[in-house]
Amino acid sequence: MEKKIVAILLTVLLATLATAALAADVFRFDSKSIDLFEGEEALIPLVREGNPAETGTLTYTAVNPKAVSVAPDGTIRALNKGKSTVKVTLKTGKRTWTASMTVNVLRAVTKVTLNTGKMTVYQPTDPMIQGLLQEETLHDVIVLPVGKSLELSTTCTPSDASSKKVDYTSTDEGVLKVGKSSMRAVQAGECDLTVASEQNPEVKEIFHVLVTQPVTKISISAPSGKTVSVGGTLSLQEVLEPANASIQAVTWSSRNEQTARVDQNGVVTGLKRGTATIQVTAADGSGRSGSISITVAQPVSAIVFKESGLNLANGQQGTVHVTVLPENANEKGVTYSSTDDTVATVNQNGVVRAISRGECSIIATSKSNPEVSAEINVSVVQQVTAITFPGGTVSLPVRTSAQLFWQVAPEDATIKDVVFATNNKKVATVDAHGVVTGIARGTATITATATDGSRKKGQVKVTVTQPVEGVSIQYGVYHIQLDRSLNIKAIISPRNANNQNVHFTTGDEYVATVTDNKNIGRVRGRHAGTTTITGVTEDGGYSASAEIRVGDFNRAVIVDDLYLERDNIRIVLRNRSDFTVDRVYFTCETYDANGQPLVCNSDGVSNSFSGAYRQELYPGDISEHYIFDFGDYVQPTAMIARVVLKVTGWRDLEGYTRNIPEDEYPNQTYTRYIPVVLPGNSGENG
């Protein structure tokens, strides 16, 4: 964009100044407004008459500095599209003069682009038009048939240019007549079409226009027919009218490109079964076109037998089945034939009849494409009639294997192969050679099936056993009351072992005896003492032992005395065993003088409370007062006349706790009738 600079020429003559003193005061810009393109500069003259003509200080400002800038000398520079007021101030002595003007900043068009989407445009070197051009040109060529009219539209860059108006001109109105927004081909010939910015005429685009004799009709010839196979090709030929049309070139296209495609020589390639419309269009822009419907056929490419082979006995029938590929083939019919009718025959439904022992092939041939066929082997055989397992059932331990033995009848069966299967893989598995492996305890049925098509089967029952792998006694030490019996349990490992029987023996029958009941030993205490009970498994001979202690454990601790001392219950316990007791448990009941229950529990209801003696009692020792634990005891409100004490259990230093059965309480119950006396000072119980 050219830079506009308007210089201010001030020629001031002394004589003129003298005359100006008598003139009216004028101070203004030479123009009220100016238009500038972005990037342009301008210096607008000031008109100064009268007093403003005197020398003074000029100050320039721009109201919108984003749009314009003003230099101290008054040079205005257009920055960005928009509008701004530029002001100038003059100070002469005590007087101030101001003037202003409007500056419109315009955004210039930098490029114009003719919209050619609906036009036929070629490069000047394109072979399609090179033989038709009579004039040399470097511009793209627009081809129009005589009489053709087109609307014109242009895109200006940038899109926010201040003015997007354009002018269209033709170098030969006799060939191409151009209006404000359209053009029409008048007669055959050549000229240039120019589109230029109205605001910036130097911004323009030029096209060379070739007006031709158009094609008036176009049709398609199919010399080889209108059908093509998938993957095959078919050549089509275009026929143009008139024969002297300026441009003989055409373009080919398919309206169903997934079914068939066509190249620019009119050669159609079939892609998938169906129909496709092939269209040919004149390349001269006349819009003339023709079309033809082409059928794409899917031929048979392969035949596959579903059976891998066929084994038949004499006189037996079987049916073969085929799959014709691809699935969308137009004609899937096949014909069947036998290579040896003396061995087996076949009908057109694929039913094969065995005639005599031997082998032959059954052939399936495509009806639509005889070059495609497949065959399957047929063996006429002596089939299996029975499969047996001599010896009956099979038994084996877990994690072991055993070979099955079987027989196939008759002896002269052609194919004696069998396949094995188990009905319970969690119990037993079987491999292709008939080797059975035990997985877990239980039973499974192994089935052998003939592979010759006879469907004969044989079965054998397999029992998988779990052997004993170890044994332990439930507890290490047992306490048995004299003349009482106790069950001790031997735990077999694993727990699901088949044989759970254990034989128990005692180390000293004087102390304890034992009887067997599977894995339970019934031990009876005979005399006080210690012995060992040993259990040995019937399966595997594994053994485990436990210590047996026999004694009068229910009376290991007795009540030596029970009395009241100033309304406090006094208990004396004695350890009559041969071991140390570190804790004794008891319950205590209280009654009044009338024999009625006397509430002594913090729950406010019960006439009994629980207690414990938490000190060690050595063999023969008695308890001490004041260190008993009376738990939830509270002092009754009435006089205690009767106390009943029951020793309920004890614990030794090894942590063994003896809970005395209720039927033993009578022997451990101590009842004391307390003489009724006047209550004294309360002390600690125990």
Side-chain angles (χ1 to χ4, degrees):
M1 196 66 69
E2 296 181 357
K3 181 179 178 182
K4 299 179 181 178
I5 301 178
V6 180
I8 301 176
L9 303 176
L10 298 177
T11 305
V12 182
L13 301 176
L14 294 175
T16 303
L17 290 175
T19 305
L22 301 175
D25 293 338
V26 176
F27 184 73
R28 60 180 174 80
F29 281 103
D30 189 42
S31 301
K32 292 183 178 180
S33 66
I34 62 169
D35 294 336
L36 296 176
F37 287 113
E38 291 173 325
E40 287 187 334
E41 292 183 351
L43 185 59
I44 307 303
L46 285 172
V47 179
R48 300 170 61 176
E49 299 176 359
N51 288 323
E54 297 178 6
T55 301
T57 300
L58 292 173
T59 303
Y60 292 90
T61 58
V63 174
N64 184 2
K66 290 184 179 181
V68 299
S69 65
V70 185
D73 65 353
T75 299
I76 300 171
R77 181 174 178 81
L79 301 177
N80 292 293
K81 179 182 175 181
K83 180 186 288 189
S84 178
T85 299
V86 174
K87 294 183 178 180
V88 61
T89 302
L90 172 65
K91 290 187 177 181
T92 58
K94 296 182 179 180
R95 294 290 303 273
T96 299
W97 309 85
T98 61
S100 63
M101 67 176 296
T102 300
V103 178
N104 297 308
V105 180
L106 308 178
R107 183 156 293 165
V109 173
T110 60
K111 182 181 179 182
V112 291
T113 304
L114 181 65
N115 299 321
T116 60
K118 296 182 179 180
M119 300 178 187
T120 303
V121 182
Y122 296 95
Q123 293 289 321
T125 57
D126 195 308
M128 295 279 285
I129 61 170
Q130 266 194 327
L132 301 175
L133 292 175
Q134 301 299 315
E135 302 176 6
E136 290 188 5
T137 181
L138 297 176
H139 305 298
D140 287 349
V141 179
I142 299 174
V143 178
L144 286 176
V146 173
K148 181 75 171 181
S149 294
L150 288 176
E151 292 295 319
L152 296 173
S153 66
T154 299
T155 300
C156 292
T157 304
S159 60
D160 60 347
S162 297
S163 174
K164 289 186 274 188
K165 292 181 179 181
V166 295
D167 291 325
Y168 301 101
T169 57
S170 170
T171 57
D172 191 341
E173 290 281 336
V175 174
L176 181 70
K177 188 171 182 61
V178 177
K180 289 185 177 180
S181 60
S182 65
M183 64 178 178
R184 182 171 64 86
V186 178
Q187 64 178 0
E190 298 177 44
C191 66
D192 285 340
L193 170 68
T194 301
V195 54
S197 168
E198 184 181 278
Q199 187 182 64
N200 306 94
E202 69 277 8
V203 179
K204 58 188 175 181
E205 187 176 31
I206 301 174
F207 289 87
H208 193 68
V209 179
L210 172 64
V211 179
T212 63
Q213 171 59 52
V215 174
T216 59
K217 183 180 180 181
I218 187 169
S219 57
I220 299 175
S221 170
S224 301
K226 299 181 180 181
T227 300
V228 63
S229 298
V230 172
T233 60
L234 175 68
S235 294
L236 302 179
Q237 183 65 50
E238 75 277 8
V239 179
L240 303 179
E241 295 181 18
N244 65 342
S246 299
I247 300 177
Q248 295 284 319
V250 296
T251 58
W252 293 88
S253 62
S254 172
R255 295 181 187 173
N256 311 83
E257 290 189 347
Q258 293 182 342
T259 301
R261 65 171 180 263
V262 61
D263 66 16
Q264 292 310 306
N265 294 316
V267 178
V268 178
T269 300
L271 300 179
K272 74 173 185 178
R273 178 180 173 180
T275 58
T277 298
I278 304 300
Q279 181 171 296
V280 62
T281 303
D284 63 357
S286 64
R288 300 298 180 181
S289 64
S291 62
I292 188 173
S293 180
I294 298 298
T295 299
V296 180
Q298 176 62 65
V300 173
S301 60
I303 298 174
V304 179
F305 277 95
K306 293 184 179 178
E307 296 80 16
S308 59
L310 202 60
N311 296 320
L312 299 175
N314 287 344
Q316 189 178 17
Q317 287 186 351
T319 302
V320 293
H321 306 82
V322 297
T323 299
V324 178
L325 300 175
E327 292 184 359
N328 63 340
N330 288 64
E331 173 57 61
K332 293 186 177 182
V334 297
T335 59
Y336 293 99
S337 61
S338 171
T339 59
D340 191 342
D341 287 341
T342 64
V343 175
T345 61
V346 63
N347 66 19
Q348 294 311 304
N349 293 319
V351 178
V352 180
R353 177 182 292 274
I355 303 300
S356 63
R357 188 167 179 172
E359 292 190 359
C360 67
S361 294
I362 300 299
I363 300 175
T365 304
S366 169
K367 290 181 178 180
S368 61
N369 188 2
E371 295 181 358
V372 177
S373 64
E375 64 180 74
I376 186 174
N377 185 68
V378 176
S379 295
V380 179
V381 300
Q382 173 59 58
Q383 289 188 313
V384 173
T385 59
I387 301 173
T388 58
F389 288 87
T393 61
V394 176
S395 179
L396 72 162
V398 295
R399 295 187 296 279
T400 64
S401 298
Q403 175 67 59
L404 296 178
F405 297 95
W406 67 96
Q407 292 179 346
V408 175
E411 187 66 28
D412 63 344
T414 304
I415 301 174
K416 295 184 178 182
D417 295 338
V418 297
V419 292
F420 295 96
T422 177
N423 72 336
N424 193 342
K425 291 182 179 180
K426 293 182 178 180
V427 172
T429 60
V430 60
D431 67 12
H433 305 291
V435 176
V436 179
T437 300
I439 304 300
R441 177 182 172 182
T443 60
T445 298
I446 304 300
T447 301
T449 304
T451 63
D452 64 353
S454 64
R455 300 184 181 178
K456 294 299 180 179
K457 297 181 179 181
Q459 293 183 330
V460 61
K461 183 178 180 181
V462 175
T463 300
V464 179
T465 61
Q466 174 61 61
V468 174
E469 297 176 357
V471 66
S472 62
I473 303 298
Q474 190 172 15
Y475 301 109
V477 178
Y478 290 84
H479 293 73
I480 300 178
Q481 179 69 19
L482 278 172
D483 296 324
R484 295 287 191 273
S485 295
L486 180 69
N487 289 337
I488 66 173
K489 184 177 181 181
I491 300 174
I492 303 296
S493 175
R495 292 184 181 273
N496 66 338
N498 288 67
N499 191 339
Q500 296 282 326
N501 293 330
V502 177
H503 177 61
F504 294 91
T505 59
T506 177
D508 188 345
E509 291 191 349
Y510 178 80
V511 176
T513 59
V514 62
T515 57
D516 302 335
N517 184 13
K518 290 187 178 180
N519 65 329
I520 302 296
R522 184 72 172 172
V523 181
R524 186 168 186 81
R526 297 298 183 182
H527 297 90
T530 301
T531 188
T532 299
I533 295 295
T534 300
V536 180
T537 63
E538 189 174 273
D539 178 12
Y542 297 97
S543 64
S545 300
E547 182 180 321
I548 304 297
R549 297 176 183 175
V550 179
D552 189 6
F553 298 116
N554 292 339
R555 293 182 56 79
V557 179
I558 62 173
V559 181
D560 203 56
D561 197 3
L562 178 68
Y563 61 94
L564 222 70
E565 183 180 277
R566 290 182 295 184
D567 226 13
N568 294 322
I569 299 172
R570 295 287 186 239
I571 302 170
V572 180
L573 302 176
R574 180 183 299 278
N575 181 1
R576 61 187 295 271
S577 70
D578 59 356
F579 52 84
T580 301
V581 175
D582 77 340
R583 188 160 301 181
V584 182
Y585 305 97
F586 59 85
T587 60
C588 198
E589 299 173 357
T590 59
Y591 299 88
D592 62 14
N594 297 319
Q596 296 300 314
L598 191 61
V599 176
C600 63
N601 195 298
S602 60
D603 64 7
V605 177
S606 304
N607 75 311
S608 65
F609 62 89
S610 298
Y613 183 75
R614 304 179 188 274
Q615 298 293 317
E616 293 181 353
L617 283 176
Y618 296 97
D621 281 359
I622 63 173
S623 61
E624 300 179 25
H625 295 314
Y626 306 110
I627 54 178
F628 278 76
D629 178 6
F630 272 22
D632 46 9
Y633 172 76
V634 295
Q635 190 73 31
T637 57
M639 181 73 70
I640 300 174
R642 177 184 172 214
V643 177
V644 177
L645 182 72
K646 301 175 182 179
V647 176
T648 59
W650 49 266
R651 188 180 73 183
D652 64 13
L653 290 176
E654 294 179 354
Y656 171 72
T657 299
R658 180 75 177 185
N659 295 314
I660 300 173
E662 290 187 18
D663 59 0
E664 296 290 337
Y665 281 171
N667 297 328
Q668 289 294 306
T669 300
Y670 193 91
T671 303
R672 183 68 179 259
Y673 291 90
I674 309 298
V676 178
V677 297
L678 293 175
N681 296 327
S682 295
E684 291 187 7
N685 289 308

